Amino acid sequence: MTTALALSLLTLPGFSQELFQNEQRSQYLAPGVWSPLTVCERMLELANLKPGETVFDLGSGDGRVVILAASRFGAKAVGVELSENLVERSQEKIKAEGLDDKASVIHADLMDVDISSADVVTIYLLRESNDKLRPKLESSLKSGARVVSHDYEIRGWKPTVVEKAKANNRNHAIYVYEIRRK
C-alpha cells in the first residue's frame, strides 16, 4: 500500500487505524472500512436471511453485521476477523447484547475458515480480494447459499440482485449472488 493511499484511507469515516497497527496480517484483503448500518441491514434483507439460518461475515470488523443478523433476523451469526483487538471488542458487544447463544466472532484468516454450513456469506472486500475468495466460495458453499458483497462485484458471477443505496453521503452498491449446483 502506498503512503498516499494509506493517508487517504485514514480520512474515511469508520476507517480503522488498527490496520496499520497489526503487522501480523497474513493477507491484506481490504482496508478496515465499516459498512454503514443501513447498508448492513439492507444486505441481510436482500439475502432474504431467515431465522435459524447461518450467516458468516468474512472480515467482520467491529461485528456490526454479526450482531444485526443475530438480533434483528434471528440468525446464527459467525464473524471472521484477523484483528485480535476487533475480535475482543466484537465479543464484548455480543455479550453485552445477550447474543452469546446466536453470535460469535472468531480470530482467523477468512481464507482458512470452514464456511460450508453458511446459508449466507457477507463480504466487504476489494475486487481483487473477491477474486481470491471466489474459488473458496465455489467449492465450500452449498446450493442455495447466498453471497452478498458490498460495493465490489464478484467477477465471473452473475448477481441475482444489484441495488444501489445511499448512506453517509456516499453511493453504495449491494450485489447478491446465489450458489447453484448442477
Side-chain angles (χ1 to χ4, degrees):
M1 176 183 310
T2 67
T3 303
L5 174 60
L7 290 174
S8 67
L9 287 173
L10 288 172
T11 65
L12 291 173
F15 184 81
S16 173
Q17 293 184 21
E18 193 166 342
L19 176 68
F20 299 104
Q21 297 166 356
N22 183 354
E23 296 182 21
Q24 299 301 312
R25 290 185 182 270
S26 62
Q27 294 184 349
Y28 175 77
L29 295 176
V33 179
W34 317 143
S35 298
L37 281 173
T38 55
V39 173
C40 296
E41 186 169 20
R42 191 66 186 139
M43 289 171 70
L44 296 173
E45 289 170 351
L46 291 172
N48 196 25
L49 183 61
K50 297 173 185 67
E53 286 191 313
T54 300
V55 61
F56 276 78
D57 184 28
L58 303 181
S60 60
D62 67 357
R64 63 183 59 196
V65 171
V66 173
I67 291 168
L68 186 61
S71 63
R72 182 169 181 271
F73 292 84
K76 178 182 179 207
V78 180
V80 180
E81 177 55 50
L82 201 53
S83 165
E84 288 182 62
N85 291 335
L86 289 174
V87 170
E88 288 174 19
R89 283 192 276 176
S90 297
Q91 288 292 58
E92 288 170 8
K93 288 180 189 177
I94 288 167
K95 187 172 183 147
E97 295 283 331
L99 297 169
D100 302 68
D101 59 331
K102 290 183 178 180
S104 64
V105 176
I106 58 174
H107 177 242
D109 185 318
L110 61 87
M111 297 300 284
D112 297 331
V113 174
D114 178 5
I115 58 170
S116 61
S117 63
D119 297 294
V120 173
V121 173
T122 59
I123 54 177
Y124 187 16
L125 304 174
L126 301 172
R127 189 171 289 110
E128 294 76 19
S129 302
N130 287 351
D131 291 344
K132 291 178 185 177
L133 183 60
R134 180 181 162 186
K136 177 182 181 67
L137 296 170
E138 291 173 340
S139 66
S140 299
L141 296 177
K142 58 191 170 200
S143 188
R146 287 90 67 206
V147 178
V148 186
S149 180
H150 176 191
D151 275 342
Y152 300 101
E153 72 272 2
I154 299 174
R155 292 186 277 213
W157 284 10
K158 184 176 174 153
T160 57
V161 176
V162 177
E163 184 172 296
K164 302 294 182 188
K166 188 157 182 117
N168 299 340
N169 296 315
R170 185 170 95 63
N171 292 321
H172 300 266
I174 301 170
Y175 299 89
V176 181
Y177 304 89
E178 186 171 336
I179 301 297
R180 299 183 195 269
R181 301 266 182 242
K182 296 177 182 178

